[in-house]
Amino acid sequence: MKGKTHLFSGHAVLPKGIPMRDHLDRATAMLEVDLEKHIVVKASFITVLPHTSDFLSAIAEGYDLSQGIEPLIKEVEGRAHLNSIRAFCKAIMIAYEHYQAYIEDNNS
């Protein structure tokens, strides 16, 4: 897989008033994508608890980005019942936008 994957990140401000905000001010999503297959091969999220990152990663890994980002966002929102979920979804969307921009820039 070496050389076929690229790493895309997204960051979003966490809402005020949630305990996680005492430790982090931003939600971060990292998506490693196989650019030949457009599949998320590895995902990681910066969170306070590793369980949260592992859970979100398990949802994102294996996702086919050629389907667009909405199905992934809906699954994350439907399965992760966290006060900070909107920020993590926004971080995923921003990482996806970086992926799309890279694809567009390199296909023209």
XYZ file of all heavy atoms in Angstrom:
848
model
N 0.830 -1.198 0.000
C 0.000 0.000 0.000
C 0.870 1.256 0.000
O 0.386 2.326 -0.240
C -0.911 -0.040 1.228
C -1.953 1.021 1.287
S -3.431 0.781 0.299
C -3.977 -0.811 0.795
N 2.150 1.119 0.240
C 3.040 2.271 0.301
C 2.959 3.084 -0.984
O 3.030 2.551 -2.073
C 4.469 1.809 0.544
C 5.426 2.938 0.778
C 6.798 2.440 1.128
C 7.719 3.604 1.386
N 9.045 3.170 1.750
N 2.803 4.391 -0.822
C 2.748 5.290 -1.964
C 1.367 5.459 -2.556
O 1.145 6.376 -3.325
N 0.438 4.590 -2.216
C -0.913 4.690 -2.763
C -1.858 5.461 -1.853
O -2.950 5.813 -2.256
C -1.504 3.298 -2.984
C -0.793 2.479 -4.027
C -1.462 1.143 -4.177
C -0.712 0.263 -5.149
N -1.313 -1.055 -5.265
N -1.440 5.676 -0.614
C -2.337 6.358 0.319
C -1.865 7.781 0.596
O -0.679 8.078 0.501
C -2.455 5.589 1.653
O -1.186 5.564 2.313
C -2.953 4.172 1.442
N -2.833 8.616 0.916
C -2.578 10.000 1.297
C -3.372 10.296 2.555
O -4.427 9.699 2.786
C -3.002 10.955 0.180
C -2.094 10.898 -1.010
N -1.330 11.969 -1.402
C -1.821 9.907 -1.897
C -0.622 11.641 -2.481
N -0.913 10.391 -2.793
N -2.872 11.232 3.361
C -3.494 11.578 4.628
C -4.159 12.951 4.529
O -3.541 13.918 4.091
C -2.423 11.589 5.726
C -2.889 11.648 7.171
C -3.737 10.429 7.522
C -1.682 11.718 8.088
N -5.419 12.994 4.932
C -6.203 14.230 4.908
C -6.728 14.501 6.308
O -7.180 13.582 6.998
C -7.372 14.107 3.927
C -6.920 13.822 2.526
C -6.854 12.520 2.053
C -6.530 14.851 1.682
C -6.417 12.242 0.768
C -6.086 14.588 0.386
C -6.029 13.283 -0.067
N -6.686 15.766 6.727
C -7.150 16.107 8.070
C -8.242 17.167 8.015
O -8.338 17.934 7.063
C -6.001 16.610 8.931
O -5.540 17.863 8.464
N -9.034 17.164 9.073
C -10.060 18.186 9.255
C -10.139 18.530 10.727
O -9.924 17.662 11.581
N -10.416 19.789 11.012
C -10.503 20.260 12.392
C -11.758 21.119 12.534
O -12.115 21.845 11.612
C -9.289 21.115 12.758
C -7.989 20.457 12.419
N -7.385 19.548 13.240
C -7.197 20.564 11.325
C -6.271 19.124 12.681
N -6.129 19.733 11.509
N -12.401 21.008 13.697
C -13.578 21.839 13.980
C -13.584 22.186 15.462
O -13.181 21.374 16.300
C -14.854 21.089 13.605
N -14.040 23.368 15.771
C -14.086 23.831 17.161
C -15.150 23.044 17.919
O -16.272 22.857 17.434
C -14.382 25.344 17.218
C -14.535 25.826 18.653
C -13.289 26.124 16.515
N -14.789 22.576 19.107
C -15.737 21.864 19.967
C -16.683 22.861 20.625
O -16.286 23.998 20.923
C -14.984 21.086 21.046
C -14.232 19.864 20.537
C -13.224 19.390 21.572
C -15.216 18.748 20.209
N -17.910 22.454 20.891
C -18.852 23.379 21.544
C -18.446 23.661 22.988
O -17.830 22.823 23.650
C -20.184 22.635 21.487
C -19.840 21.210 21.282
C -18.518 21.174 20.577
N -18.796 24.837 23.459
C -18.530 25.202 24.855
C -19.453 24.401 25.766
O -20.541 23.996 25.369
C -18.756 26.696 25.072
C -17.754 27.553 24.336
C -18.029 29.020 24.566
C -17.011 29.831 23.777
N -17.223 31.250 23.890
N -18.972 24.170 26.977
C -19.820 23.534 27.977
C -19.762 22.021 28.022
O -20.509 21.412 28.779
N -18.915 21.397 27.203
C -18.784 19.948 27.292
C -17.465 19.622 27.992
O -16.484 20.352 27.842
C -18.876 19.258 25.918
C -17.735 19.670 24.999
C -20.214 19.519 25.248
C -17.624 18.836 23.754
N -17.435 18.554 28.772
C -16.220 18.230 29.538
C -14.960 18.087 28.682
O -13.879 18.477 29.110
C -16.574 16.909 30.216
C -18.059 16.907 30.293
C -18.531 17.649 29.075
N -15.077 17.550 27.495
C -13.909 17.348 26.634
C -13.223 18.676 26.320
O -12.016 18.728 26.092
C -14.339 16.645 25.346
C -13.183 16.107 24.541
S -13.758 14.973 23.277
C -13.603 16.005 21.859
N -13.975 19.750 26.318
C -13.442 21.077 25.984
C -12.387 21.525 27.006
O -11.555 22.365 26.711
C -14.600 22.072 25.911
C -14.223 23.468 25.501
C -14.077 23.588 23.988
N -13.526 24.855 23.615
C -14.209 25.877 23.147
N -15.494 25.771 22.960
N -13.610 26.992 22.830
N -12.420 20.938 28.217
C -11.402 21.257 29.218
C -10.022 20.750 28.800
O -9.011 21.251 29.277
C -11.764 20.641 30.576
C -13.016 21.257 31.175
O -13.397 22.378 30.771
O -13.623 20.607 32.048
N -9.987 19.764 27.909
C -8.732 19.146 27.487
C -8.345 19.482 26.041
O -7.170 19.553 25.712
C -8.822 17.627 27.633
C -9.182 17.196 29.021
N -8.270 17.164 30.041
C -10.360 16.819 29.543
C -8.877 16.761 31.147
N -10.147 16.543 30.877
N -9.343 19.620 25.197
C -9.122 19.907 23.770
C -10.067 21.020 23.340
O -11.186 21.092 23.834
C -9.433 18.673 22.916
C -8.631 17.411 23.153
C -9.259 16.248 22.390
C -7.195 17.600 22.694
N -9.633 21.841 22.411
C -10.554 22.866 21.916
C -11.073 22.543 20.521
O -11.992 23.177 20.040
C -9.915 24.256 21.948
C -8.739 24.399 20.998
O -8.160 23.372 20.618
O -8.392 25.541 20.650
N -10.478 21.514 19.896
C -10.882 21.159 18.536
C -11.088 19.655 18.387
O -10.395 18.866 19.011
C -9.819 21.578 17.530
C -9.603 23.050 17.482
C -8.657 23.434 16.354
N -8.308 24.832 16.415
C -9.106 25.818 16.029
N -10.283 25.558 15.564
N -8.712 27.058 16.121
N -12.029 19.315 17.532
C -12.199 17.936 17.103
C -11.325 17.764 15.866
O -11.307 18.636 14.993
C -13.660 17.655 16.764
N -10.599 16.671 15.801
C -9.714 16.418 14.664
C -10.018 15.056 14.071
O -10.156 14.072 14.804
C -8.237 16.466 15.103
O -7.949 17.769 15.601
C -7.302 16.152 13.949
N -10.128 15.016 12.753
C -10.311 13.767 12.021
C -9.158 13.617 11.043
O -8.820 14.566 10.326
C -11.634 13.774 11.255
N -8.553 12.440 11.038
C -7.480 12.122 10.092
C -7.953 10.929 9.262
O -8.314 9.891 9.831
C -6.196 11.748 10.829
C -5.687 12.814 11.790
S -5.074 14.281 10.966
C -3.604 13.670 10.217
N -7.960 11.086 7.943
C -8.389 10.016 7.047
C -7.240 9.650 6.116
O -6.771 10.492 5.347
C -9.594 10.455 6.217
C -10.836 10.940 6.974
C -11.910 11.379 5.992
C -11.350 9.870 7.926
N -6.787 8.402 6.202
C -5.798 7.891 5.258
C -6.574 7.204 4.150
O -7.349 6.276 4.398
C -4.850 6.901 5.937
C -3.796 6.380 4.987
C -2.842 5.387 5.620
O -2.887 5.190 6.856
O -2.049 4.793 4.865
N -6.361 7.671 2.928
C -7.184 7.241 1.800
C -6.324 6.596 0.722
O -5.289 7.146 0.326
C -7.950 8.447 1.195
C -8.798 8.018 0.005
C -8.796 9.132 2.262
N -6.758 5.429 0.252
C -6.157 4.789 -0.920
C -6.725 5.527 -2.134
O -7.920 5.429 -2.430
C -6.542 3.307 -0.961
C -5.986 2.579 -2.172
O -5.828 3.201 -3.252
O -5.734 1.371 -2.059
N -5.886 6.292 -2.823
C -6.363 7.140 -3.911
C -6.719 6.365 -5.176
O -7.421 6.896 -6.033
C -5.343 8.226 -4.225
C -5.161 9.276 -3.133
C -4.177 10.346 -3.587
C -6.473 9.899 -2.714
N -6.278 5.122 -5.293
C -6.675 4.318 -6.446
C -8.088 3.777 -6.270
O -8.849 3.685 -7.225
C -5.690 3.170 -6.661
C -4.341 3.627 -7.173
C -3.366 2.480 -7.382
O -3.719 1.308 -7.129
O -2.234 2.768 -7.800
N -8.430 3.417 -5.034
C -9.747 2.825 -4.750
C -10.698 3.812 -4.079
O -11.882 3.515 -3.947
C -9.581 1.595 -3.863
C -8.775 0.500 -4.526
C -8.609 -0.676 -3.596
C -7.757 -1.752 -4.248
N -7.491 -2.867 -3.344
N -10.175 4.938 -3.597
C -10.960 5.964 -2.899
C -11.593 5.419 -1.616
O -12.703 5.793 -1.251
C -11.999 6.589 -3.836
C -11.359 7.165 -5.059
N -10.744 8.396 -5.052
C -11.192 6.654 -6.306
C -10.231 8.618 -6.260
N -10.490 7.583 -7.027
N -10.859 4.544 -0.941
C -11.310 3.908 0.295
C -10.516 4.473 1.471
O -9.294 4.647 1.384
C -11.087 2.371 0.231
C -11.843 1.757 -0.945
C -11.432 1.691 1.546
C -13.336 1.763 -0.814
N -11.215 4.725 2.587
C -10.545 5.123 3.823
C -9.928 3.854 4.409
O -10.643 2.948 4.825
C -11.524 5.747 4.831
C -10.815 6.073 6.146
C -12.184 6.989 4.247
N -8.607 3.762 4.378
C -7.941 2.561 4.882
C -7.656 2.660 6.374
O -7.578 1.641 7.071
C -6.646 2.226 4.108
C -6.957 1.875 2.670
C -5.645 3.359 4.175
N -7.517 3.874 6.873
C -7.309 4.081 8.305
C -7.853 5.450 8.664
O -7.717 6.403 7.897
C -5.833 3.976 8.665
C -5.578 4.063 10.149
C -4.172 3.669 10.503
C -4.016 3.842 12.000
N -3.484 2.719 12.659
N -8.493 5.525 9.819
C -9.024 6.798 10.304
C -8.656 6.934 11.767
O -8.616 5.948 12.500
C -10.540 6.841 10.136
N -8.373 8.151 12.169
C -8.123 8.392 13.588
C -8.709 9.751 13.960
O -8.863 10.636 13.121
C -6.636 8.308 13.924
O -5.898 9.206 13.156
N -9.038 9.834 15.221
C -9.684 11.025 15.751
C -8.982 11.391 17.050
O -8.705 10.516 17.875
C -11.170 10.754 16.019
C -11.919 10.412 14.753
C -11.924 9.117 14.262
C -12.579 11.391 14.043
C -12.586 8.795 13.084
C -13.246 11.082 12.864
C -13.243 9.783 12.387
N -8.697 12.673 17.223
C -8.090 13.109 18.474
C -9.221 13.359 19.465
O -10.070 14.230 19.244
C -7.224 14.361 18.277
C -6.065 14.023 17.334
C -6.712 14.872 19.619
C -5.177 15.178 16.990
N -9.234 12.541 20.501
C -10.263 12.609 21.535
C -9.600 12.452 22.898
O -8.423 12.084 22.981
C -11.304 11.483 21.357
O -10.652 10.223 21.496
C -11.983 11.553 20.005
N -10.347 12.677 23.948
C -9.829 12.489 25.302
C -9.747 10.994 25.626
O -8.755 10.524 26.166
C -10.702 13.230 26.336
C -10.264 12.910 27.756
C -10.639 14.730 26.086
N -10.765 10.248 25.271
C -10.802 8.810 25.560
C -10.501 7.996 24.307
O -11.134 8.208 23.265
C -12.176 8.408 26.104
C -12.597 9.083 27.405
C -14.023 8.717 27.755
C -11.653 8.684 28.523
N -9.579 7.054 24.384
C -9.269 6.209 23.224
C -10.479 5.442 22.701
O -10.588 5.202 21.500
C -8.200 5.254 23.749
C -7.605 5.932 24.927
C -8.701 6.771 25.527
N -11.398 5.074 23.573
C -12.579 4.333 23.134
C -13.369 5.119 22.085
O -13.841 4.559 21.085
C -13.463 4.003 24.343
C -14.597 3.089 24.027
N -15.518 2.722 24.956
C -14.980 2.457 22.897
C -16.404 1.917 24.422
N -16.106 1.742 23.169
N -13.508 6.422 22.302
C -14.229 7.271 21.351
C -13.536 7.271 19.996
O -14.177 7.087 18.954
C -14.341 8.708 21.887
O -14.931 8.674 23.179
C -15.172 9.574 20.962
N -12.229 7.438 20.008
C -11.469 7.427 18.757
C -11.584 6.083 18.060
O -11.803 6.020 16.844
C -10.004 7.759 19.035
O -9.269 7.720 17.829
N -11.458 5.009 18.814
C -11.564 3.665 18.232
C -12.938 3.438 17.603
O -13.047 2.870 16.521
C -11.310 2.588 19.295
C -9.886 2.583 19.817
O -9.002 3.218 19.188
O -9.653 1.957 20.872
N -13.985 3.888 18.289
C -15.350 3.707 17.796
C -15.569 4.466 16.488
O -16.066 3.909 15.496
C -16.356 4.162 18.855
C -17.783 3.875 18.498
C -18.336 2.633 18.743
C -18.572 4.854 17.904
C -19.660 2.363 18.401
C -19.885 4.600 17.555
C -20.441 3.347 17.807
N -15.187 5.736 16.470
C -15.346 6.540 15.259
C -14.489 6.004 14.119
O -14.928 5.970 12.960
C -15.002 8.004 15.551
C -15.921 8.729 16.542
C -15.362 10.103 16.875
C -17.335 8.822 16.006
N -13.285 5.546 14.446
C -12.394 4.980 13.428
C -13.006 3.750 12.787
O -12.943 3.559 11.570
C -11.039 4.626 14.039
O -10.388 5.789 14.482
N -13.603 2.890 13.609
C -14.213 1.656 13.091
C -15.344 1.965 12.113
O -15.549 1.229 11.140
C -14.723 0.801 14.251
N -16.065 3.044 12.349
C -17.137 3.438 11.427
C -16.552 3.928 10.109
O -17.030 3.579 9.026
C -18.029 4.531 12.054
C -18.781 3.967 13.262
C -19.017 5.083 11.016
C -19.529 5.021 14.069
N -15.502 4.734 10.168
C -14.951 5.376 8.963
C -14.082 4.452 8.115
O -14.062 4.578 6.882
C -14.155 6.614 9.351
N -13.378 3.530 8.751
C -12.443 2.680 8.006
C -13.195 1.746 7.065
O -14.182 1.132 7.431
C -11.555 1.905 8.976
C -10.551 2.826 9.641
C -9.730 2.170 10.731
O -9.864 0.950 10.983
O -8.938 2.906 11.363
N -12.720 1.705 5.832
C -13.356 0.894 4.795
C -14.398 1.655 4.000
O -14.916 1.142 3.010
N -14.694 2.882 4.391
C -15.711 3.663 3.697
C -15.214 4.073 2.312
O -14.071 4.497 2.142
C -16.093 4.904 4.512
C -17.193 5.692 3.839
C -18.507 5.239 3.873
C -16.913 6.841 3.128
C -19.512 5.931 3.232
C -17.910 7.552 2.489
C -19.206 7.089 2.536
O -20.193 7.774 1.882
N -16.082 3.973 1.329
C -15.787 4.336 -0.061
C -16.170 5.795 -0.289
O -17.357 6.129 -0.357
C -16.569 3.414 -0.999
C -16.304 3.684 -2.462
O -15.630 4.681 -2.808
O -16.785 2.878 -3.285
N -15.177 6.661 -0.406
C -15.416 8.096 -0.563
C -16.061 8.457 -1.894
O -16.610 9.553 -2.035
C -14.118 8.874 -0.374
C -13.560 8.871 1.048
C -12.183 9.534 1.071
C -14.503 9.545 2.022
N -16.023 7.544 -2.866
C -16.671 7.847 -4.148
C -18.197 7.904 -3.997
O -18.881 8.373 -4.895
C -16.265 6.828 -5.218
O -16.739 5.543 -4.891
N -18.725 7.484 -2.843
C -20.166 7.577 -2.557
C -20.565 8.956 -2.046
O -21.730 9.208 -1.777
C -20.561 6.566 -1.480
C -20.313 5.128 -1.826
C -20.685 4.249 -0.656
O -21.852 4.185 -0.284
N -19.702 3.601 -0.065
N -19.568 9.837 -1.851
C -19.829 11.118 -1.208
C -19.689 10.949 0.294
O -19.526 9.839 0.795
N -19.784 12.026 1.024
C -19.531 11.982 2.466
C -20.808 11.846 3.288
O -20.768 11.410 4.441
C -18.702 13.215 2.916
C -18.017 12.949 4.251
C -19.562 14.468 2.952
C -17.002 11.856 4.236
N -21.954 12.173 2.733
C -23.203 12.162 3.505
C -23.549 10.809 4.128
O -23.956 10.767 5.291
C -24.369 12.694 2.677
C -24.361 14.204 2.539
C -24.282 14.943 3.863
O -25.014 14.606 4.814
O -23.466 15.885 3.954
N -23.421 9.680 3.418
C -23.737 8.397 4.073
C -22.855 8.126 5.297
O -23.341 7.601 6.304
C -23.502 7.363 2.972
C -23.705 8.108 1.700
C -23.162 9.493 1.980
N -21.592 8.492 5.229
C -20.702 8.298 6.375
C -21.118 9.206 7.525
O -21.197 8.771 8.679
C -19.243 8.568 5.989
C -18.231 8.484 7.132
C -18.247 7.100 7.780
C -16.837 8.832 6.627
N -21.414 10.456 7.237
C -21.841 11.396 8.276
C -23.119 10.897 8.948
O -23.237 10.922 10.182
C -22.031 12.819 7.707
C -20.711 13.381 7.190
C -22.670 13.747 8.729
C -19.600 13.491 8.224
N -24.072 10.419 8.165
C -25.329 9.911 8.732
C -25.079 8.716 9.641
O -25.704 8.592 10.697
C -26.309 9.543 7.619
C -26.944 10.743 6.974
C -27.944 10.344 5.920
C -28.520 11.599 5.278
N -29.505 11.298 4.247
N -24.174 7.837 9.252
C -23.875 6.684 10.097
C -23.209 7.121 11.397
O -23.551 6.628 12.475
C -22.999 5.668 9.375
C -22.782 4.446 10.234
C -22.122 3.281 9.530
O -21.854 3.358 8.317
O -21.876 2.286 10.217
N -22.268 8.041 11.314
C -21.593 8.544 12.519
C -22.623 9.192 13.448
O -22.659 8.911 14.647
C -20.462 9.526 12.150
C -19.946 10.256 13.377
C -19.325 8.786 11.451
N -23.475 10.053 12.900
C -24.492 10.726 13.719
C -25.481 9.736 14.325
O -25.943 9.924 15.449
C -25.256 11.753 12.887
C -24.450 12.982 12.541
C -25.186 13.946 11.638
O -26.082 13.528 10.865
O -24.847 15.133 11.686
N -25.791 8.686 13.577
C -26.766 7.709 14.051
C -26.236 6.746 15.099
O -27.009 6.172 15.867
N -24.922 6.577 15.140
C -24.348 5.585 16.055
C -23.566 6.174 17.213
O -23.435 5.523 18.251
C -23.444 4.638 15.267
C -24.229 3.785 14.280
C -23.350 2.847 13.505
N -22.567 1.999 14.377
C -21.473 1.341 13.984
N -21.053 1.442 12.742
N -20.799 0.588 14.832
N -23.042 7.366 17.070
C -22.225 7.978 18.126
C -23.033 9.082 18.802
O -23.220 10.156 18.243
C -20.933 8.535 17.542
N -23.513 8.800 19.981
C -24.387 9.724 20.705
C -23.548 10.524 21.707
O -23.549 10.248 22.904
C -25.513 8.937 21.384
C -26.221 8.044 20.419
N -27.164 8.515 19.528
C -26.073 6.724 20.156
C -27.594 7.519 18.768
N -26.941 6.418 19.133
N -22.836 11.491 21.161
C -21.894 12.300 21.936
C -22.286 13.762 21.844
O -22.792 14.209 20.811
C -20.476 12.149 21.362
C -19.952 10.747 21.100
C -18.673 10.814 20.280
C -19.725 10.039 22.422
N -22.010 14.520 22.894
C -22.262 15.961 22.850
C -21.405 16.646 21.789
O -21.772 17.688 21.262
C -21.986 16.602 24.209
C -22.982 16.173 25.259
O -24.099 15.788 24.938
N -22.584 16.221 26.514
N -20.286 16.036 21.476
C -19.331 16.634 20.535
C -19.474 16.101 19.110
O -18.667 16.436 18.245
C -17.914 16.364 21.034
O -17.716 14.963 21.189
N -20.495 15.321 18.823
C -20.562 14.628 17.528
C -20.639 15.588 16.344
O -20.069 15.317 15.293
C -21.699 13.582 17.507
C -21.441 12.583 16.373
C -23.064 14.224 17.384
C -20.115 11.863 16.453
N -21.321 16.712 16.495
C -21.409 17.665 15.374
C -20.022 18.170 14.981
O -19.724 18.331 13.799
C -22.304 18.853 15.720
C -23.734 18.511 16.072
C -24.474 17.878 14.990
N -25.396 18.762 14.311
C -25.936 18.388 13.156
N -25.630 17.257 12.609
N -26.784 19.179 12.555
N -19.175 18.416 15.974
C -17.820 18.882 15.687
C -17.022 17.800 14.977
O -16.282 18.092 14.027
C -17.117 19.317 16.973
N -17.169 16.554 15.396
C -16.440 15.478 14.716
C -16.952 15.276 13.293
O -16.158 15.025 12.381
C -16.485 14.179 15.531
C -15.513 14.201 16.669
C -15.940 14.407 17.961
C -14.154 14.066 16.431
C -15.036 14.466 19.007
C -13.235 14.126 17.469
C -13.683 14.321 18.766
N -18.252 15.401 13.098
C -18.793 15.297 11.734
C -18.271 16.431 10.862
O -17.926 16.211 9.696
C -20.319 15.288 11.770
S -20.992 13.733 12.403
N -18.184 17.624 11.420
C -17.635 18.762 10.665
C -16.171 18.505 10.317
O -15.734 18.782 9.191
C -17.785 20.058 11.482
C -17.292 21.287 10.782
C -18.136 21.604 9.571
C -17.683 22.904 8.937
N -18.377 23.161 7.684
N -15.405 17.945 11.255
C -13.997 17.627 10.991
C -13.884 16.591 9.872
O -13.012 16.700 9.003
C -13.320 17.129 12.267
N -14.767 15.596 9.866
C -14.774 14.590 8.786
C -15.077 15.271 7.454
O -14.435 14.996 6.440
C -15.799 13.474 9.078
C -15.365 12.647 10.289
C -15.989 12.587 7.851
C -16.445 11.708 10.823
N -16.067 16.162 7.448
C -16.427 16.869 6.206
C -15.264 17.699 5.678
O -15.027 17.732 4.469
C -17.642 17.762 6.446
C -18.936 17.009 6.529
S -20.324 18.171 6.560
C -21.114 17.669 8.067
N -14.549 18.354 6.570
C -13.410 19.177 6.141
C -12.291 18.298 5.583
O -11.693 18.627 4.552
C -12.923 20.072 7.298
C -13.999 21.121 7.594
C -11.589 20.725 6.970
C -13.785 21.896 8.872
N -12.022 17.164 6.218
C -11.024 16.225 5.679
C -11.453 15.750 4.293
O -10.633 15.658 3.372
C -10.833 15.043 6.631
N -12.741 15.471 4.131
C -13.281 15.054 2.835
C -13.119 16.166 1.797
O -12.762 15.892 0.645
C -14.752 14.665 2.979
C -15.419 14.316 1.675
C -15.153 13.102 1.045
C -16.314 15.187 1.072
C -15.768 12.777 -0.162
C -16.936 14.874 -0.119
C -16.650 13.667 -0.731
O -17.259 13.344 -1.929
N -13.353 17.402 2.176
C -13.164 18.529 1.258
C -11.709 18.634 0.807
O -11.441 18.930 -0.366
C -13.620 19.838 1.911
C -15.122 19.931 2.076
C -15.578 21.075 2.964
O -14.725 21.868 3.433
O -16.801 21.172 3.199
N -10.776 18.381 1.723
C -9.349 18.390 1.352
C -9.047 17.259 0.370
O -8.295 17.450 -0.594
C -8.466 18.263 2.585
C -8.524 19.462 3.467
N -8.064 19.453 4.759
C -8.996 20.719 3.272
C -8.241 20.640 5.314
N -8.814 21.424 4.413
N -9.633 16.105 0.615
C -9.494 14.963 -0.309
C -10.037 15.342 -1.691
O -9.379 15.130 -2.710
C -10.230 13.750 0.277
C -10.718 12.757 -0.736
C -9.866 11.807 -1.294
C -12.058 12.759 -1.136
C -10.331 10.896 -2.230
C -12.519 11.849 -2.057
C -11.658 10.923 -2.612
O -12.124 10.016 -3.539
N -11.246 15.899 -1.733
C -11.857 16.290 -3.013
C -11.003 17.313 -3.752
O -10.826 17.209 -4.973
C -13.245 16.891 -2.788
C -14.328 15.892 -2.577
C -15.671 16.588 -2.597
O -15.907 17.545 -1.855
N -16.553 16.112 -3.455
N -10.488 18.302 -3.041
C -9.647 19.330 -3.662
C -8.389 18.696 -4.253
O -7.971 19.056 -5.361
C -9.284 20.405 -2.647
N -7.799 17.749 -3.528
C -6.612 17.071 -4.030
C -6.946 16.300 -5.309
O -6.205 16.377 -6.292
C -6.033 16.125 -2.972
C -4.808 15.410 -3.471
C -3.557 16.021 -3.407
C -4.895 14.151 -4.051
C -2.433 15.389 -3.897
C -3.776 13.507 -4.548
C -2.550 14.128 -4.468
O -1.446 13.502 -4.973
N -8.041 15.579 -5.293
C -8.471 14.800 -6.475
C -8.688 15.729 -7.664
O -8.222 15.464 -8.772
C -9.749 13.969 -6.165
C -9.464 12.906 -5.098
C -10.325 13.348 -7.427
C -8.432 11.884 -5.474
N -9.401 16.823 -7.450
C -9.680 17.767 -8.532
C -8.396 18.391 -9.079
O -8.230 18.520 -10.293
C -10.636 18.858 -8.059
C -12.041 18.351 -7.849
C -12.962 19.399 -7.226
O -12.596 20.601 -7.205
O -14.042 18.989 -6.758
N -7.481 18.769 -8.193
C -6.230 19.390 -8.611
C -5.347 18.425 -9.402
O -4.586 18.845 -10.274
C -5.434 19.903 -7.405
C -6.050 21.132 -6.783
O -6.963 21.743 -7.407
O -5.640 21.491 -5.657
N -5.422 17.143 -9.091
C -4.551 16.177 -9.742
C -5.183 15.449 -10.917
O -4.528 14.667 -11.576
C -4.038 15.178 -8.697
C -3.013 15.819 -7.810
O -1.885 16.061 -8.200
N -3.423 16.175 -6.605
N -6.452 15.731 -11.175
C -7.119 15.139 -12.350
C -7.295 16.138 -13.475
O -7.855 15.820 -14.488
C -8.472 14.546 -11.940
C -8.328 13.239 -11.221
O -7.299 12.563 -11.329
N -9.330 12.857 -10.460
N -6.839 17.370 -13.260
C -6.998 18.354 -14.338
C -5.716 18.614 -15.048
O -4.705 18.119 -14.835
C -7.561 19.658 -13.796
O -7.137 19.981 -12.522
